[in-house]
Amino acid sequence: MSLSSVTTEVVDPIPGAEAPHLPQQPDLVQLLTPEGERVEHPEYSLSISDDELRGLYRDLVLVRRWDVEATALQRQGELGIWASLLGQEAAQIGAGRALQPDDMAFPTYREHGVAWTRGVDPLDVISLFRGVDNGGWDPVATHFNLYTVVIGAQTLHATGYAMGVQRDGAETAVLAFLGDGATSQGEVNESMIWAASFSAPVVFFCQNNQYAISVPLERQSRVPLYQRAAGFGFPGVRVDGNDVLAVLAVTRAALAAAREGQGPTFIEAFTYRMGAHTTSDDPTRYRLASELEEWKLRDPIARLKVHLSRSGIADHHFFDSVERAADELATRIRSGTVEMPDPPATAMFDSVYAEQTPHLAQQRAAFVAYHESFEGGER
Amino acid sequence: MSTETLTIGKALNLGLRRAMEDDAKVVLMGEDIGRLGGVFRITDGLQKDFGEDRVVDTPLAEAGILGTAVGLAMRGYRPVCEIQFDGFVFPAYNQIVTQVAKIHARSRGKLAMPIVIRIPFGGGIGAVEHHSESPEAYFAHTAGLKVVAVSNPVDAYWGIQQAIAHPDPIVFLEPKRRYWEKAAVDTDATPDPLFASRVVRGGDDVTVLAYGPMVKTVLQAAEAVAEEGRSLEVIDLRTLSPLDLDPVFESVRRTGRCVVVHEAPVTLGLGAEIAARVTETCFYSLEAPVLRVGGYDTPYPPAKLEEEYLPDLDRVLDAVDRAMGF
Ligand SMILES: Cc1ncc(C[n+]2csc(CCOP(=O)(O)OP(=O)(O)O)c2C)c(N)n1
């Protein structure tokens, strides 16, 4: 694919990089167009029941509602910060629903949609952003690792986990999430070298949402990201990240290949961060509103809705019921958040080590005694 | 005389601007420092005025930022690297410790490393993991690096310029939760030297040492006990490596008591080194052991617990009481 041969009627999503916009990208895997038309792809077919299709729609709507509610809760001072997934629902639900129960996922800090597909309670994610803990879910039971805030570190963990799977001879694949910015980190490049050298059953799932906070993709890469995989010696594929069906098909295929011993795949889910980087960010400082308007035309939820109603797979009763479920979820998230108790202060001492040290135990005791000395008013 | 009321953030911004005007070799590099002006807006407007070659939005790679800074320094540039948050300096730690710190010695002085590593540090802003760290001891422990921590707009304005003009690599720590604190800055004044501590409040009973964000806390504590007739001498250390302890020794010889306060965990923190030196030098003047107030030996906790973790006025006064009780 040549970067320069592409006509751009729509705003160039990567300013200055002459990147191809979605509909004209020959290498882009798509099964559902932005207009909601179901199309076939020679390499990636998807057989999916009507029930599953409705389930995907439900997932998309519910995680968006969760996200909107969390953003509102942050604005009202109930959360310290929130990293929104707005616009990336299809990439996350498609990837998450491609996982088998025993597969393991290693998220960044934005994969709330994947958390949802692993059965993680939204409140256990919210608790991190409220400052109660570093994520309340059990990473072992859910097969969903805790969020990793240090950019890219988790890609090595995923690779090592996959090496363990390989030693165990297990039929398990590992899905490592990362952003476009993360691809610049040395550790991420090391993880791909390790994955390739050991043919580890790991799939790198990169959501290219076009920005690392304010920095556009062109500062991280001169080539489309999926093409980097070739240099490491494994396949790379670019999928329409706003097309939940294509993401599901591509991720399923890559995970299956990993389970069969074919080694890693790099998936670039081409998408767009429709919100701010986090609630602390002000995107008006670095990108044009018109860009967002263009991407709204490729909304991941709208296209599936069109497909479901046009093909008669769902009617307004179904859509209404999903709305009601979303309302209920939002209510549960809201009340669960405002009623969430603060952790006991001693919690910070209690799981530092598997085997507590005498020194820290003493420090904890002194901490308790110090605070007790204030009880009943002034010391 | 031209005096302006500036926040620490704005003082740094103006100081960086002056340094860039004074020396065309000064290059700022970091994540989101250009168009966005940095997540704390410390470099706001500088890319617009100095161009993309002098205020560089880097790829997302801290080892890259510091490693390329070394090469730029070898070519005669003066890189000023912004690390977005304290917890994200570690991908660059290898470059800082094995290269930046050692190149001058390795080259027997043939290669200077005039690199400034700006790090917003410390907690108190309600952030998620890795955004509230106090990593100063890692750097102060490393020969070849100098480490300074500013506590107020005046030192921010002058200190950043002095650090950039200095021939050695400097880890420049900025108290992120105090970025919005204001003071009058006389931009025509003659600044105090960079590597000097400063007595910021005179007193007779206990010498209390702090730097960066804790200076304000300690001054508040001094104010609070003054009402009870106790007088604390407060010293802003300002430079953590090299330490400037002569004013501290002079003070402790008078007060006989010393408390060191920092947000970093106490174990092997700056307080440990200072306690040892004060004990070695002022042993016969001491009425009490040198006491340390700091973070606990735990990971920095989730935001809901940071008030319990961070030294506050009460914990400073508790240590003062204990020092007086000996
Ligand atoms: C090592 C490290 N450096 C810097 C940061 C600060 N930071 C948080 S998110 C971010 C941008 C990440 O961009 P990308 O990888 O594209 O993911 P996105 O946030 O867009 O999902 C940066 C620089 C960090 N978390 N970790």
Side-chain angles (χ1 to χ4, degrees):
Chain A
M1 182 183 82
S2 133
L3 275 179
S4 50
S5 67
V6 177
T7 50
T8 43
E9 306 142 29
V10 185
V11 151
D12 182 348
I14 308 168
E18 292 187 319
H21 70 86
L22 273 172
Q24 267 76 37
Q25 290 184 72
D27 284 356
L28 185 85
V29 179
Q30 197 174 64
L31 297 178
L32 191 61
T33 68
E35 294 73 35
E37 188 194 338
R38 184 78 165 76
V39 290
E40 291 304 322
H41 189 278
E43 282 168 61
Y44 295 96
S45 59
L46 184 72
S47 59
I48 186 165
S49 71
D50 291 354
D51 247 4
E52 284 174 294
L53 278 172
R54 285 188 291 262
L56 290 174
Y57 177 81
R58 191 168 181 280
D59 285 341
L60 295 173
V61 170
L62 292 192
V63 299
R64 178 169 292 187
R65 181 63 69 87
W66 165 10
D67 188 80
V68 167
E69 196 61 29
T71 301
L73 283 163
Q74 194 282 336
R75 294 280 174 250
Q76 292 151 13
E78 294 291 341
L79 302 184
I81 192 171
W82 180 247
S84 169
L85 59 55
L86 197 68
Q88 299 177 222
E89 295 89 349
Q92 298 190 9
I93 294 299
R97 288 296 176 206
L99 290 162
Q100 303 269 324
D102 272 352
D103 291 344
M104 180 72 190
F106 286 80
T108 69
Y109 40 79
R110 204 186 288 287
E111 271 72 65
H112 322 313
V114 186
W116 175 258
T117 67
R118 298 313 265 170
V120 171
D121 186 333
L123 289 170
D124 282 337
V125 176
I126 293 261
S127 61
L128 185 160
F129 294 94
R130 191 171 161 83
V132 169
D133 54 32
N134 292 313
W137 67 95
D138 178 343
V140 180
T142 57
H143 287 83
F144 185 69
N145 193 39
L146 290 169
Y147 280 179
T148 300
V149 174
V150 177
I151 299 293
Q154 76 283 357
T155 57
L156 278 165
H157 311 160
T159 303
Y161 189 98
M163 290 164 65
V165 163
Q166 196 175 38
R167 279 161 194 265
D168 296 343
E171 290 255 318
T172 297
V174 182
L175 194 52
F177 289 87
L178 66 152
D180 45 288
T183 61
S184 291
Q185 284 287 8
E187 291 181 9
V188 170
N189 288 272
E190 289 179 30
S191 75
M192 297 198 192
I193 289 164
W194 280 70
S197 288
F198 295 99
S199 204
V202 57
V203 173
F204 297 99
F205 191 93
C206 177
Q207 286 165 83
N208 174 2
N209 66 8
Q210 314 302 332
Y211 288 91
I213 309 187
S214 70
V215 180
L217 180 69
E218 62 179 327
R219 182 44 48 98
Q220 319 288 351
S221 186
R222 281 173 65 160
V223 297
L225 291 174
Y226 75 99
Q227 289 181 7
R228 285 220 184 137
F232 291 102
F234 51 83
V237 51
R238 178 182 270 187
V239 60
D240 181 345
N242 288 11
D243 170 355
V244 70
L245 303 184
V247 174
L248 179 64
V250 166
T251 314
R252 262 189 195 160
L255 291 169
R259 278 188 221 101
E260 286 159 17
Q262 294 173 40
T265 301
F266 182 94
I267 298 171
E268 177 189 358
F270 200 84
T271 182
Y272 191 75
R273 196 193 74 210
M274 290 172 80
H277 170 71
T278 65
T279 44
S280 308
D281 179 40
D282 173 12
T284 62
R285 291 178 76 104
Y286 54 84
R287 69 186 191 189
L288 297 172
S290 58
E291 202 179 277
L292 177 59
E293 292 310 312
E294 294 299 338
W295 277 91
K296 279 188 185 163
L297 302 174
R298 302 172 193 151
D299 187 279
I301 301 184
R303 69 174 78 176
L304 187 58
K305 186 169 189 181
V306 170
H307 173 60
L308 291 182
S309 32
R310 263 207 218 126
S311 57
I313 296 170
D315 58 13
H316 71 92
H317 294 295
F318 169 74
F319 294 121
D320 289 350
S321 75
V322 173
E323 280 314 307
R324 277 197 304 278
D327 288 344
E328 281 164 24
L329 177 67
T331 308
R332 190 172 89 75
I333 288 173
R334 168 159 296 270
S335 58
T337 302
V338 299
E339 288 159 15
M340 194 178 291
D342 287 355
T346 48
M348 67 179 142
F349 297 96
D350 289 341
S351 42
V352 181
Y353 300 103
E355 189 179 301
Q356 180 67 309
T357 65
H359 168 74
L360 198 55
Q362 209 176 25
Q363 215 173 60
R364 184 190 195 278
F367 175 88
V368 170
Y370 171 74
H371 281 279
E372 276 170 357
S373 71
F374 285 91
E375 259 155 40
E378 286 290 293
R379 269 213 303 175
Chain B
M1 184 170 117
S2 88
T3 299
E4 289 180 63
T5 298
L6 301 174
T7 61
I8 290 183
K10 184 67 190 164
L12 287 165
N13 178 272
L14 266 188
L16 287 165
R17 178 178 288 278
R18 288 289 125 78
M20 295 187 78
E21 285 164 358
D22 288 352
D23 185 347
K25 295 287 189 187
V26 174
V27 178
L28 312 193
M29 357 181 6
E31 293 155 8
D32 304 285
I33 68 166
R35 214 195 277 197
L36 186 65
V39 295
F40 290 107
R41 309 289 185 264
I42 304 303
T43 54
D44 193 23
L46 297 180
Q47 188 182 68
K48 194 170 128 276
D49 294 346
F50 292 94
E52 294 186 13
D53 289 339
R54 294 195 64 200
V55 182
V56 183
D57 270 326
T58 66
L60 206 179
E62 290 79 7
I65 295 172
L66 265 296
T68 58
V70 167
L72 283 160
M74 289 173 66
R75 285 292 299 186
Y77 289 91
R78 304 186 91 84
V80 181
C81 303
E82 176 176 299
I83 298 295
Q84 199 163 81
F85 283 90
D86 33 51
F88 307 137
V89 71
F90 299 106
Y93 194 60
N94 172 42
Q95 287 289 339
I96 296 171
V97 172
T98 69
Q99 306 303 319
V100 173
K102 294 181 172 57
I103 285 176
H104 191 264
R106 185 185 301 151
S107 67
R108 286 158 289 120
K110 296 278 187 299
L111 295 171
M113 283 291 126
I115 296 172
V116 175
I117 307 167
R118 293 184 36 240
I119 309 179
F121 86 122
I125 62 161
V128 297
E129 213 186 350
H130 313 298
H131 292 72
S132 310
E133 306 287 311
S134 295
E136 59 269 25
Y138 299 128
F139 301 112
H141 189 67
T142 301
L145 299 176
K146 293 177 179 171
V147 184
V148 303
V150 295
S151 68
N152 62 74
V154 174
D155 287 347
Y157 176 76
W158 293 113
I160 191 65
Q161 297 180 66
Q162 292 166 317
I164 292 170
H166 191 76
D168 288 316
I170 296 183
V171 175
F172 190 92
L173 298 168
E174 302 171 2
K176 71 167 84 76
R177 73 163 132 154
R178 309 286 190 215
Y179 271 145
W180 299 272
E181 300 277 327
K182 285 184 191 154
V185 179
D186 174 3
T187 54
D188 293 330
T190 306
D192 286 346
L194 184 60
F195 300 107
S197 57
R198 181 192 294 138
V199 177
V200 288
R201 182 185 171 109
D204 306 316
D205 294 331
V206 182
T207 304
V208 186
L209 313 178
Y211 53 88
M214 281 291 110
V215 174
K216 179 174 177 183
T217 306
V218 168
L219 283 172
Q220 285 168 342
E223 198 61 45
V225 283
E227 290 161 20
E228 300 163 16
R230 247 181 213 174
S231 98
L232 306 186
E233 176 138 308
V234 180
I235 299 183
D236 180 351
L237 289 170
R238 296 176 77 243
T239 169
L240 310 185
S241 179
L243 281 164
D244 175 36
L245 295 186
D246 283 343
V248 174
F249 301 148
E250 191 277 320
S251 172
V252 172
R253 285 193 187 104
R254 276 190 292 108
T255 62
R257 294 176 166 87
C258 182
V259 172
V260 193
V261 184
H262 50 60
E263 290 189 14
V266 283
T267 297
L268 293 169
L270 263 288
E273 176 65 23
I274 292 165
R277 291 203 205 177
V278 169
T279 308
E280 284 162 8
T281 308
C282 308
F283 187 70
Y284 293 104
S285 312
L286 283 172
E287 304 283 346
V290 180
L291 297 180
R292 292 169 290 164
V293 181
Y296 298 104
D297 292 312
T298 71
Y300 194 89
K304 290 282 184 194
L305 296 184
E306 70 181 338
E307 274 183 38
E308 316 278 356
Y309 177 89
L310 289 168
D312 59 2
L313 195 135
D314 285 324
R315 281 177 61 200
V316 173
L317 295 184
D318 175 65
V320 166
D321 281 350
R322 282 186 287 130
M324 299 288 288
F326 274 91

